[in-house]
Amino acid sequence: MSSIEEAKKVSSETPEHQPVNGDATDVGSKTKDDFDLAAAYVSDAQYNRNTFFDTSPQAVRLYQLYNHRGMKLFIYVFIIVDLGLAVFEEPALIPDMPIWATGVVELVCLIAFTARLVHYAKVIPHDKFWMDPKNIFIIVIISLSLVDMITYVGLKTAGHFGVRWSRVLRPLLLVNITEGRQLRRAFRSIRNALPQIMYVFLLFMFSVLMFSLMGLKLFGKRGLKTVEGASYFTNYLEIVFDLYVLVTTANSPDVMMPAYNYSSFFAVFFIVYILINTYIFMSVFLAVVYNNYKKYLKEEVRQLVKAKRRKMLRAFGVLQSGAGQESSVSKAHWTQLVCLVQPGISSGHRELLWSVSDDDKKGSIGKMAFVQLPDLLNIQVITMKSRPHPLKIWLPGLYNSAGSRLVRRMVQHRVFVYVYDVIILVNAVFIGLDEENPLISNAEWIFLALYLLEIVLKLYTFEPRAFFNKHEFWNWFDTIIVVAALIATIATSALKSSGYTSREILDIVFILRVFRLIRVVDSIQRFRAIINTLIKIWPTILTFGQLILVVYYIFAMVGMELFKNKIQFYGPNSTNPHKDYCGNPLLQGTAFAKNNYCKNNFNDVASSFVLLLELTVVNQWHVLASGFTSVTHMSARIFFVLFHIVVVIIIINIFVAFILEAFFVEYTLDKSDLQTSLEKKIEELELNFTLDETEGNLVDAMETNHDDLGPSQAPKEKPSLVFKIASRRYKTVDGLLQRMFEADLSLEDIDEEDEENPNFPNPVFGAV
Amino acid sequence: MSSIEEAKKVSSETPEHQPVNGDATDVGSKTKDDFDLAAAYVSDAQYNRNTFFDTSPQAVRLYQLYNHRGMKLFIYVFIIVDLGLAVFEEPALIPDMPIWATGVVELVCLIAFTARLVHYAKVIPHDKFWMDPKNIFIIVIISLSLVDMITYVGLKTAGHFGVRWSRVLRPLLLVNITEGRQLRRAFRSIRNALPQIMYVFLLFMFSVLMFSLMGLKLFGKRGLKTVEGASYFTNYLEIVFDLYVLVTTANSPDVMMPAYNYSSFFAVFFIVYILINTYIFMSVFLAVVYNNYKKYLKEEVRQLVKAKRRKMLRAFGVLQSGAGQESSVSKAHWTQLVCLVQPGISSGHRELLWSVSDDDKKGSIGKMAFVQLPDLLNIQVITMKSRPHPLKIWLPGLYNSAGSRLVRRMVQHRVFVYVYDVIILVNAVFIGLDEENPLISNAEWIFLALYLLEIVLKLYTFEPRAFFNKHEFWNWFDTIIVVAALIATIATSALKSSGYTSREILDIVFILRVFRLIRVVDSIQRFRAIINTLIKIWPTILTFGQLILVVYYIFAMVGMELFKNKIQFYGPNSTNPHKDYCGNPLLQGTAFAKNNYCKNNFNDVASSFVLLLELTVVNQWHVLASGFTSVTHMSARIFFVLFHIVVVIIIINIFVAFILEAFFVEYTLDKSDLQTSLEKKIEELELNFTLDETEGNLVDAMETNHDDLGPSQAPKEKPSLVFKIASRRYKTVDGLLQRMFEADLSLEDIDEEDEENPNFPNPVFGAV
């Protein structure tokens, strides 16, 4: 082919001049359906959805509806309502709700879940639908719930005893809905780590059993007594339980004292036991959980990245012009696609992304650049128009006067921050003092005025829309707290002058006052850096919050069925004669009753959750457990030990593993390549925007030795449209995860482009 | 230079033909002094010593004496004696030792330390000696100890009150002696992590103070009472302490109960507090400690590797023949050097190492191969002569008979292991039963006989010297336990038949019996793998043991001065009227006395250590602390909080960090390159030896799915001398550390050979 012919060919491939053709791989101008399909692929890639949706236009539109934010909100609301039913159901926190009412609400929820599932079934091919375990799971949960409801109502109306056993299934909906991706991943990594945890656990239990046997032989025949006067180390199963509790440290040093009092040498037994089982084995558990967690997560994220790339290649296939190496997507098509995927995107932001993708300014982008689109969209870019302060426009004479300039310089000076830090500290002392004193209560007004003055001065100095940008967390925090405190304080004094005092409103006032003090943290660079890191890992903490919710809910439901109303709480001012033993004579003289733990019961869902939290914290869990075994049966211990194994040994360790990993990512990987290239482009185009130079992450702040740079700086005179990368906050948890393993993945994933296989196998992300 | 001239030059450089020359960099046959010097360098490189010893022959010989195993033992014995003096000194565990006696012993110890230091001063140049902070530290410690001893004796003889304050300095000797390398490194990594820990700690304390203020405002005015009837959340400092204790979970849920009983909503305050401070902040502490530990350790190990290479280059310089690229060390020189460095090395092992180094069989090795020598020496190679079973030689007819062969096949069969596992389990049940029963006590003889039979059968089947190889931990363990149990059981029955029963001997018998059960672990592959991993990280755990010893000793000395004899323990059978309140009326009615904690006191060094361990375990530490504040002053809390911060927040986290890191190394890095090449060479030469194929590390065992392969296999008929790499156990902790970072280090360190700078600066490994 001559060069002239080649040039002709290239020019003839300019998309606008091609005949209309529905076939995705052909060149040509695209239909609305093509864009819808491509947008669905890009959106899936952006949010790491792995749905095998039907590519027919109506299915794609249904799929877009399925993924609509409102639909997701709708399904979460119904799940929360369904879970929340536990508040009204027997044993109820808020009683007097008839069975038919909760039944109807549950039925509505089940219908909503069914509707959502039917919608999903319409979106994806039938064979795929029935192969996906999470759909089967939802069908099973809905059916079982219906069966349970019917039998329960039947039993109740016939006057029989019935148990709402299907309630333990409810939280599993949270795991199995399409949106529960992160949660499923967390459960999968637990499931994958289980075999190894098992081996360590068995060895650990072997060690506990051996020590128990030794303890029985050493102490059993010596006739020792515990502080309560019970016989000490005489029953093997009791010893096993006591030593298991010692691993959790909850009965240290009490379990040792009788033997230690008898002979100092016996302390060696317990010291060796604690060293081996509490310190070494518990560390090994963390190591095993952490290592497995990391390993499987890595593999999953690798698959995610692959799947994302495949989806983008499909989208590229739909929109491409030209064939083979020459194929590309024109700017017009790209723009249309981006507008579909992210309707709210500003044109400036879009142009910026295009200029990053089309670095050579060719007017069209190839496969490699196109594939990066979802990652680019996932980088939070703050677009804002750089504009002068409104006062500068309205009252230029006043705003530019010498006095005004002095005020603005003052506010920007670091001494301004120091002065307010001192004010906050003085305020803290005043809060600590007795608020009944009129001097103190009046001082509150002064402090409020000072804080308001600060906000006004800052608004005078900085452009208000930049100051109240949605990413300026601390500015919003300060303002909301100060304004809320002002309102609450005014409300209190109004009430007080009308002779009425509400303890509750006073509580809120105090909380808001103390919250105001948190601002000190904001003004110290290193503290802010730590807090920023914590805020960044927040989405993950929320995923673990869901995980904990699922496990707690299941244990709460089981616990309520097992232990409801066995222990009664009578309130601190009650004069009920049963108060001293929680309304159950079996508790007379037990540590449970002595410690006044009566309110730690399974009589309603809120108490159950608080109790489970106390069990998670571990301390005194054996006392709580023994309270429930006293009122039921020795085997009730199984419930508590199982809870300890599941929550403390497995879930809390996974939580710690995640925090560690997330911190290390913050420490090592500073920015992704893509983000850097975006930042470079922003700087290249001189579109960068700085309200606050001192913001950084924990690493920057700790590694560099420079001191606090003082408060925010005013935006410089810059082009009318400026951008800022919202530090390194990720829109999705997947984004953080992918970043966690980016360093290891990037190379190997560029290797295998496997475009020759368009019928790619979707990685199986089954349900738990 | 023509190629003929070049060839001539090379041939003329064959070392044996060169004139004698003492200058190290010259070619030529070497003097004894040269070998001593080179051996000193190699030995330093092998054990990662960073001593700037004088290179004069007499200094080198003195230096070799200084590093002699006996000399090290000598100094450790004196340190242990010095530390052990606390047992006899006031407040004494073993009283009635006159002051002059402990004084004389301490003086002897101080003289020994001085002698060791003088020896060291003779070895290294004067300027280097005075620049090394650890020497200065030792001099200061010795001088202060002397001053303290003199003033104390003076004060005592004059009848005044005296405090042996220099006792807190004693454990610092452990850190500052030349051999305390690992310990110094641990302290350095703590010191380096301190600034970052500080920032997180300040933020954490800020959070505690804020919550305390909020707690004061929320609960202080409500007139709530604790279970003990004390006022609840009314004193700010008390609240801070209570909430600090809550972070350690020690007073959960008690601290919450009054507020929770008042209103369920107040539980939110405590839940949020626990989430933020116990879960998130404590995880962040671990993350910060771990990250810093890793970072600085990496840097230190990088420097260690560099220093090792430099030392080896110096040794090479001393022994090399030829110049520039052609320079090499001949086999004869190499052999002489290795014999000097490791006198006990077998010639077979030496030849093996040589064949690995001189892979091309040139008869001499270059710089790169020479530099690897210390690493090769650090790989534990088990040399053993493969020989037939002695019975085969003595009684060939009997040993090779069909019956004998059947027995041997039986013993090697996996069913043999299963049978003994069942025997052990039955034995466990028998141990658990009442041993007073004659049936049970007679069964013990049967079990003993069965275990002895097993050992005899194994010795019959396997070559005894291979079976009792020093690396066959489990064989030794089994035999020692069984033989000891046999002796103890015979002793007990002998005593019993003579009408005398000793509870202590019975205790030993029981412990040995239970120990025998541990053998079950040995026969389950996955369990053995976990144990092997734990054994491998043992040296590090020992380093942390020393670290803990130093910190505990200091806190024990201070605690003994502060709290000695404030709390008395009267023994369980005492009828002393003061018994109920530990001999101190101030303790009447306190939780400390009620829980019978009287023996947890600072009245002697052993009790102090047990008490400090209980404080480390954390549970009930606030009760223990409040006991001591009751008998002294509120400010005594500072001692306990300080201990918590130092030991629990810093040292335990470093311990967990190390266990995690060591486990990950076991998981990821399987073998070092060098070890693999050594193993390859052994296999190449068909010199490999396998007594026990199933041995592996945790990773191998867990990743592969194959089941337990059964017991040891008999050595095959092989060459008379066989080798085996002692799995991946490292001789030195440094070896493990270097391996931990090998993957990251190898490349960058090969880059910089910096031989052009022979006057290399020794990396400054100062004292703490």
Side-chain angles (χ1 to χ4, degrees), chain A residues 217 221-222 249-250 252 254 256 260 264 431 434-435 503 507 526 597 599 614 619, chain B residues 199 217 221-222 249-250 252 254 256 260 264 431 434-435 503 507 597 599 614 619:
Chain A
K217 291 287 134 180
K221 293 272 164 144
R222 288 198 152 84
T249 77
S252 159
D254 306 85
M256 179 179 96
Y260 183 46
S264 294
I431 294 175
D434 188 11
E435 72 274 6
R503 199 66 232 180
D507 283 348
R526 284 168 201 272
Y597 286 168
K599 203 173 180 180
E614 289 170 12
N619 198 61
Chain B
Y199 291 117
K217 290 287 133 179
K221 292 271 163 140
R222 287 197 152 83
T249 78
S252 160
D254 307 87
M256 179 179 94
Y260 183 46
S264 293
I431 295 175
D434 187 11
E435 72 274 4
R503 198 68 232 182
D507 283 349
Y597 286 169
K599 203 173 180 179
E614 289 170 11
N619 198 61

Short mmCIF file of all heavy atoms in Angstrom, two decimals, chain A residues 217 221-222 249-250 252 254 256 260 264 431 434-435 503 507 526 597 599 614 619, chain B residues 199 217 221-222 249-250 252 254 256 260 264 431 434-435 503 507 597 599 614 619:
data_model
loop_
_atom_site.label_atom_id
_atom_site.label_comp_id
_atom_site.label_asym_id
_atom_site.label_seq_id
_atom_site.Cartn_x
_atom_site.Cartn_y
_atom_site.Cartn_z
N LYS A 217 -4.31 -31.85 87.10
CA LYS A 217 -3.41 -32.73 87.86
C LYS A 217 -2.65 -31.95 88.92
O LYS A 217 -2.38 -32.44 90.01
CB LYS A 217 -2.44 -33.42 86.91
CG LYS A 217 -3.10 -34.44 86.01
CD LYS A 217 -3.47 -35.68 86.78
CE LYS A 217 -4.88 -36.11 86.45
NZ LYS A 217 -5.28 -37.31 87.17
N LYS A 221 -6.08 -31.69 93.28
CA LYS A 221 -6.07 -32.47 94.53
C LYS A 221 -5.64 -31.65 95.73
O LYS A 221 -5.44 -32.19 96.81
CB LYS A 221 -5.10 -33.65 94.37
CG LYS A 221 -5.58 -34.68 93.35
CD LYS A 221 -6.46 -35.72 93.98
CE LYS A 221 -7.21 -36.48 92.93
NZ LYS A 221 -7.38 -37.89 93.24
N ARG A 222 -5.41 -30.38 95.51
CA ARG A 222 -4.85 -29.59 96.61
C ARG A 222 -5.93 -28.93 97.46
O ARG A 222 -5.61 -28.25 98.43
CB ARG A 222 -3.90 -28.53 96.05
CG ARG A 222 -2.61 -29.14 95.55
CD ARG A 222 -1.53 -28.09 95.42
NE ARG A 222 -0.22 -28.69 95.59
CZ ARG A 222 0.47 -29.29 94.63
NH1 ARG A 222 -0.04 -29.39 93.43
NH2 ARG A 222 1.66 -29.81 94.89
N THR A 249 -7.90 -12.97 78.40
CA THR A 249 -7.41 -12.17 79.53
C THR A 249 -8.52 -11.72 80.47
O THR A 249 -8.25 -11.02 81.43
CB THR A 249 -6.62 -10.91 79.10
OG1 THR A 249 -7.51 -9.90 78.66
CG2 THR A 249 -5.61 -11.22 78.01
N ALA A 250 -9.77 -12.14 80.21
CA ALA A 250 -10.89 -11.57 80.97
C ALA A 250 -10.87 -11.97 82.44
O ALA A 250 -11.41 -11.26 83.28
CB ALA A 250 -12.22 -11.95 80.35
N SER A 252 -8.00 -12.74 84.15
CA SER A 252 -6.66 -12.56 84.73
C SER A 252 -6.73 -11.42 85.72
O SER A 252 -7.38 -10.43 85.44
CB SER A 252 -5.67 -12.24 83.61
OG SER A 252 -4.53 -11.62 84.12
N ASP A 254 -7.42 -13.24 88.38
CA ASP A 254 -8.23 -13.96 89.38
C ASP A 254 -8.06 -15.47 89.30
O ASP A 254 -7.99 -16.15 90.33
CB ASP A 254 -9.70 -13.60 89.21
CG ASP A 254 -9.92 -12.11 89.22
OD1 ASP A 254 -9.77 -11.47 88.17
OD2 ASP A 254 -10.20 -11.57 90.30
N MET A 256 -5.63 -17.14 88.52
CA MET A 256 -4.32 -17.58 89.00
C MET A 256 -4.19 -17.49 90.52
O MET A 256 -3.42 -18.23 91.12
CB MET A 256 -3.25 -16.72 88.33
CG MET A 256 -1.83 -17.02 88.73
SD MET A 256 -0.67 -15.96 87.86
CE MET A 256 -0.44 -14.68 89.08
N TYR A 260 -1.48 -19.30 92.99
CA TYR A 260 -0.34 -18.43 93.28
C TYR A 260 -0.22 -18.21 94.79
O TYR A 260 0.89 -18.23 95.35
CB TYR A 260 -0.53 -17.12 92.54
CG TYR A 260 0.59 -16.12 92.67
CD1 TYR A 260 1.92 -16.49 92.53
CD2 TYR A 260 0.31 -14.77 92.89
CE1 TYR A 260 2.93 -15.55 92.63
CE2 TYR A 260 1.31 -13.83 92.99
CZ TYR A 260 2.62 -14.22 92.86
OH TYR A 260 3.62 -13.30 92.96
N SER A 264 4.24 -19.79 95.07
CA SER A 264 4.68 -18.85 94.04
C SER A 264 5.06 -19.56 92.76
O SER A 264 4.95 -19.01 91.67
CB SER A 264 5.86 -18.04 94.55
OG SER A 264 5.45 -17.22 95.61
N ILE A 431 -15.52 25.11 80.01
CA ILE A 431 -16.51 24.02 79.91
C ILE A 431 -16.37 23.08 81.10
O ILE A 431 -17.36 22.61 81.66
CB ILE A 431 -16.35 23.26 78.58
CG1 ILE A 431 -16.69 24.16 77.40
CG2 ILE A 431 -17.23 22.01 78.55
CD1 ILE A 431 -16.44 23.55 76.06
N ASP A 434 -17.90 24.56 86.60
CA ASP A 434 -19.32 24.40 86.89
C ASP A 434 -20.15 25.42 86.11
O ASP A 434 -19.96 26.63 86.26
CB ASP A 434 -19.53 24.61 88.40
CG ASP A 434 -20.95 24.29 88.80
OD1 ASP A 434 -21.68 23.72 87.96
OD2 ASP A 434 -21.30 24.59 89.95
N GLU A 435 -21.06 24.94 85.29
CA GLU A 435 -21.82 25.87 84.45
C GLU A 435 -22.95 26.58 85.21
O GLU A 435 -23.60 27.46 84.66
CB GLU A 435 -22.38 25.16 83.21
CG GLU A 435 -23.52 24.21 83.48
CD GLU A 435 -23.04 22.82 83.85
OE1 GLU A 435 -21.82 22.63 84.01
OE2 GLU A 435 -23.89 21.93 84.00
N ARG A 503 -33.23 18.78 80.41
CA ARG A 503 -31.94 18.11 80.54
C ARG A 503 -31.41 17.69 79.16
O ARG A 503 -30.23 17.75 78.87
CB ARG A 503 -32.16 16.87 81.42
CG ARG A 503 -30.95 16.23 82.09
CD ARG A 503 -30.29 17.09 83.12
NE ARG A 503 -28.87 17.15 82.79
CZ ARG A 503 -27.96 17.81 83.47
NH1 ARG A 503 -28.28 18.50 84.55
NH2 ARG A 503 -26.71 17.82 83.09
N ASP A 507 -27.95 18.65 77.39
CA ASP A 507 -26.99 17.64 76.95
C ASP A 507 -26.47 17.96 75.56
O ASP A 507 -25.26 17.91 75.30
CB ASP A 507 -27.65 16.25 76.91
CG ASP A 507 -27.81 15.67 78.30
OD1 ASP A 507 -27.20 16.23 79.24
OD2 ASP A 507 -28.51 14.67 78.44
N ARG A 526 -0.01 17.92 61.94
CA ARG A 526 0.21 16.48 62.06
C ARG A 526 -1.05 15.75 62.51
O ARG A 526 -1.31 14.64 62.10
CB ARG A 526 1.34 16.20 63.03
CG ARG A 526 2.69 16.49 62.43
CD ARG A 526 3.76 16.49 63.49
NE ARG A 526 4.92 17.21 63.04
CZ ARG A 526 5.91 16.67 62.36
NH1 ARG A 526 5.87 15.41 62.04
NH2 ARG A 526 6.95 17.39 61.99
N TYR A 597 -25.38 -6.18 86.38
CA TYR A 597 -25.38 -6.33 84.93
C TYR A 597 -26.78 -6.64 84.38
O TYR A 597 -26.90 -7.06 83.24
CB TYR A 597 -24.44 -7.48 84.52
CG TYR A 597 -22.97 -7.15 84.62
CD1 TYR A 597 -22.01 -8.14 84.52
CD2 TYR A 597 -22.54 -5.84 84.78
CE1 TYR A 597 -20.66 -7.84 84.60
CE2 TYR A 597 -21.20 -5.53 84.87
CZ TYR A 597 -20.26 -6.54 84.78
OH TYR A 597 -18.94 -6.24 84.86
N LYS A 599 -29.14 -5.13 83.14
CA LYS A 599 -29.60 -4.54 81.88
C LYS A 599 -28.92 -5.17 80.67
O LYS A 599 -29.30 -4.93 79.53
CB LYS A 599 -29.39 -3.02 81.88
CG LYS A 599 -30.32 -2.33 80.91
CD LYS A 599 -30.28 -0.84 80.98
CE LYS A 599 -31.25 -0.24 79.98
NZ LYS A 599 -31.23 1.22 80.01
N GLU A 614 -20.44 -5.58 74.24
CA GLU A 614 -19.67 -5.84 75.47
C GLU A 614 -18.91 -7.16 75.34
O GLU A 614 -17.77 -7.28 75.79
CB GLU A 614 -20.60 -5.89 76.68
CG GLU A 614 -21.13 -4.51 77.04
CD GLU A 614 -22.24 -4.59 78.08
OE1 GLU A 614 -22.44 -5.65 78.67
OE2 GLU A 614 -22.90 -3.56 78.28
N ASN A 619 -13.79 -7.98 77.89
CA ASN A 619 -13.67 -7.92 79.33
C ASN A 619 -14.98 -8.29 80.03
O ASN A 619 -16.05 -7.84 79.64
CB ASN A 619 -13.27 -6.50 79.76
CG ASN A 619 -12.71 -6.49 81.15
OD1 ASN A 619 -11.70 -7.13 81.41
ND2 ASN A 619 -13.39 -5.81 82.05
N TYR B 199 2.79 11.45 68.14
CA TYR B 199 1.71 12.23 67.54
C TYR B 199 0.38 11.50 67.66
O TYR B 199 -0.64 12.09 68.01
CB TYR B 199 2.02 12.54 66.08
CG TYR B 199 3.15 13.51 65.94
CD1 TYR B 199 4.33 13.16 65.32
CD2 TYR B 199 3.04 14.79 66.48
CE1 TYR B 199 5.37 14.05 65.22
CE2 TYR B 199 4.08 15.69 66.39
CZ TYR B 199 5.24 15.32 65.76
OH TYR B 199 6.27 16.20 65.69
N LYS B 217 -19.91 16.41 81.62
CA LYS B 217 -21.08 17.26 81.41
C LYS B 217 -22.37 16.44 81.33
O LYS B 217 -23.42 16.87 81.79
CB LYS B 217 -20.89 18.06 80.11
CG LYS B 217 -19.83 19.12 80.21
CD LYS B 217 -20.31 20.28 81.06
CE LYS B 217 -19.26 20.69 82.08
NZ LYS B 217 -19.66 21.81 82.90
N LYS B 221 -23.91 15.65 86.58
CA LYS B 221 -24.96 16.31 87.36
C LYS B 221 -26.15 15.41 87.64
O LYS B 221 -27.17 15.87 88.14
CB LYS B 221 -25.44 17.55 86.58
CG LYS B 221 -24.40 18.64 86.46
CD LYS B 221 -24.48 19.59 87.63
CE LYS B 221 -23.23 20.40 87.73
NZ LYS B 221 -23.45 21.79 88.09
N ARG B 222 -26.06 14.18 87.19
CA ARG B 222 -27.25 13.32 87.31
C ARG B 222 -27.29 12.55 88.62
O ARG B 222 -28.22 11.79 88.86
CB ARG B 222 -27.30 12.36 86.13
CG ARG B 222 -27.68 13.06 84.84
CD ARG B 222 -28.13 12.09 83.78
NE ARG B 222 -29.06 12.71 82.86
CZ ARG B 222 -28.71 13.44 81.80
NH1 ARG B 222 -27.45 13.66 81.55
NH2 ARG B 222 -29.62 13.98 81.02
N THR B 249 -9.91 -1.79 77.95
CA THR B 249 -11.08 -2.66 78.13
C THR B 249 -11.20 -3.24 79.54
O THR B 249 -12.13 -4.00 79.80
CB THR B 249 -11.14 -3.84 77.13
OG1 THR B 249 -10.24 -4.85 77.55
CG2 THR B 249 -10.83 -3.41 75.70
N ALA B 250 -10.28 -2.85 80.46
CA ALA B 250 -10.24 -3.53 81.75
C ALA B 250 -11.46 -3.26 82.62
O ALA B 250 -11.80 -4.08 83.46
CB ALA B 250 -8.97 -3.16 82.51
N SER B 252 -14.53 -2.51 81.30
CA SER B 252 -15.76 -2.68 80.53
C SER B 252 -16.49 -3.91 81.07
O SER B 252 -15.84 -4.91 81.36
CB SER B 252 -15.40 -2.88 79.06
OG SER B 252 -16.46 -3.49 78.37
N ASP B 254 -18.34 -2.37 83.31
CA ASP B 254 -18.72 -1.75 84.59
C ASP B 254 -18.81 -0.24 84.54
O ASP B 254 -19.73 0.34 85.11
CB ASP B 254 -17.70 -2.17 85.67
CG ASP B 254 -17.54 -3.66 85.73
OD1 ASP B 254 -16.71 -4.20 84.97
OD2 ASP B 254 -18.25 -4.31 86.50
N MET B 256 -19.66 1.59 82.25
CA MET B 256 -20.81 2.05 81.50
C MET B 256 -22.13 1.85 82.25
O MET B 256 -23.09 2.58 82.03
CB MET B 256 -20.87 1.29 80.18
CG MET B 256 -22.02 1.62 79.29
SD MET B 256 -21.96 0.70 77.75
CE MET B 256 -22.99 -0.70 78.15
N TYR B 260 -25.79 3.54 81.61
CA TYR B 260 -26.66 2.71 80.78
C TYR B 260 -27.95 2.37 81.53
O TYR B 260 -29.04 2.39 80.94
CB TYR B 260 -25.88 1.46 80.39
CG TYR B 260 -26.59 0.50 79.47
CD1 TYR B 260 -27.27 0.93 78.34
CD2 TYR B 260 -26.53 -0.87 79.71
CE1 TYR B 260 -27.89 0.04 77.49
CE2 TYR B 260 -27.15 -1.77 78.86
CZ TYR B 260 -27.84 -1.32 77.76
OH TYR B 260 -28.46 -2.20 76.93
N SER B 264 -30.81 4.11 78.19
CA SER B 264 -30.18 3.28 77.16
C SER B 264 -29.40 4.11 76.18
O SER B 264 -28.42 3.64 75.60
CB SER B 264 -31.25 2.48 76.42
OG SER B 264 -31.83 1.55 77.29
N ILE B 431 -5.17 -40.19 81.88
CA ILE B 431 -4.56 -39.15 82.73
C ILE B 431 -5.66 -38.31 83.37
O ILE B 431 -5.58 -37.94 84.54
CB ILE B 431 -3.61 -38.26 81.91
CG1 ILE B 431 -2.43 -39.08 81.42
CG2 ILE B 431 -3.14 -37.06 82.73
CD1 ILE B 431 -1.50 -38.32 80.50
N ASP B 434 -9.22 -40.32 87.63
CA ASP B 434 -8.64 -40.25 88.98
C ASP B 434 -7.48 -41.23 89.12
O ASP B 434 -7.65 -42.44 88.96
CB ASP B 434 -9.74 -40.59 89.99
CG ASP B 434 -9.26 -40.37 91.40
OD1 ASP B 434 -8.18 -39.76 91.55
OD2 ASP B 434 -9.97 -40.79 92.32
N GLU B 435 -6.31 -40.72 89.45
CA GLU B 435 -5.14 -41.60 89.50
C GLU B 435 -5.07 -42.42 90.79
O GLU B 435 -4.22 -43.30 90.92
CB GLU B 435 -3.84 -40.82 89.29
CG GLU B 435 -3.41 -39.94 90.46
CD GLU B 435 -4.06 -38.57 90.41
OE1 GLU B 435 -4.90 -38.34 89.51
OE2 GLU B 435 -3.74 -37.73 91.25
N ARG B 503 4.42 -34.70 97.08
CA ARG B 503 3.55 -33.99 96.16
C ARG B 503 4.36 -33.42 94.99
O ARG B 503 3.92 -33.41 93.85
CB ARG B 503 2.89 -32.85 96.97
CG ARG B 503 1.63 -32.22 96.38
CD ARG B 503 0.45 -33.12 96.36
NE ARG B 503 -0.06 -33.12 95.00
CZ ARG B 503 -1.14 -33.76 94.57
NH1 ARG B 503 -1.83 -34.51 95.41
NH2 ARG B 503 -1.53 -33.70 93.33
N ASP B 507 3.86 -34.08 91.08
CA ASP B 507 3.62 -33.00 90.13
C ASP B 507 4.46 -33.19 88.88
O ASP B 507 3.99 -33.05 87.76
CB ASP B 507 3.98 -31.65 90.77
CG ASP B 507 2.90 -31.19 91.74
OD1 ASP B 507 1.82 -31.80 91.74
OD2 ASP B 507 3.15 -30.24 92.49
N TYR B 597 -6.04 -10.00 96.19
CA TYR B 597 -4.86 -9.72 95.38
C TYR B 597 -3.63 -9.42 96.22
O TYR B 597 -2.64 -8.93 95.69
CB TYR B 597 -5.12 -8.50 94.47
CG TYR B 597 -6.04 -8.78 93.30
CD1 TYR B 597 -6.56 -7.74 92.53
CD2 TYR B 597 -6.37 -10.08 92.93
CE1 TYR B 597 -7.39 -7.98 91.46
CE2 TYR B 597 -7.21 -10.32 91.85
CZ TYR B 597 -7.72 -9.27 91.13
OH TYR B 597 -8.54 -9.50 90.07
N LYS B 599 -1.18 -10.93 97.29
CA LYS B 599 0.14 -11.43 96.90
C LYS B 599 0.70 -10.67 95.70
O LYS B 599 1.86 -10.84 95.34
CB LYS B 599 0.07 -12.93 96.61
CG LYS B 599 1.44 -13.59 96.74
CD LYS B 599 1.41 -15.08 96.62
CE LYS B 599 2.83 -15.64 96.77
NZ LYS B 599 2.84 -17.09 96.68
N GLU B 614 1.05 -9.35 85.16
CA GLU B 614 -0.40 -9.16 85.25
C GLU B 614 -0.80 -7.80 84.68
O GLU B 614 -1.83 -7.68 84.02
CB GLU B 614 -0.86 -9.26 86.71
CG GLU B 614 -0.78 -10.68 87.23
CD GLU B 614 -1.00 -10.75 88.73
OE1 GLU B 614 -1.41 -9.75 89.33
OE2 GLU B 614 -0.73 -11.82 89.31
N ASN B 619 -5.88 -6.99 82.03
CA ASN B 619 -7.13 -7.16 82.76
C ASN B 619 -6.94 -6.90 84.26
O ASN B 619 -5.99 -7.37 84.86
CB ASN B 619 -7.66 -8.59 82.55
CG ASN B 619 -9.11 -8.69 82.89
OD1 ASN B 619 -9.93 -8.02 82.28
ND2 ASN B 619 -9.42 -9.48 83.90
#
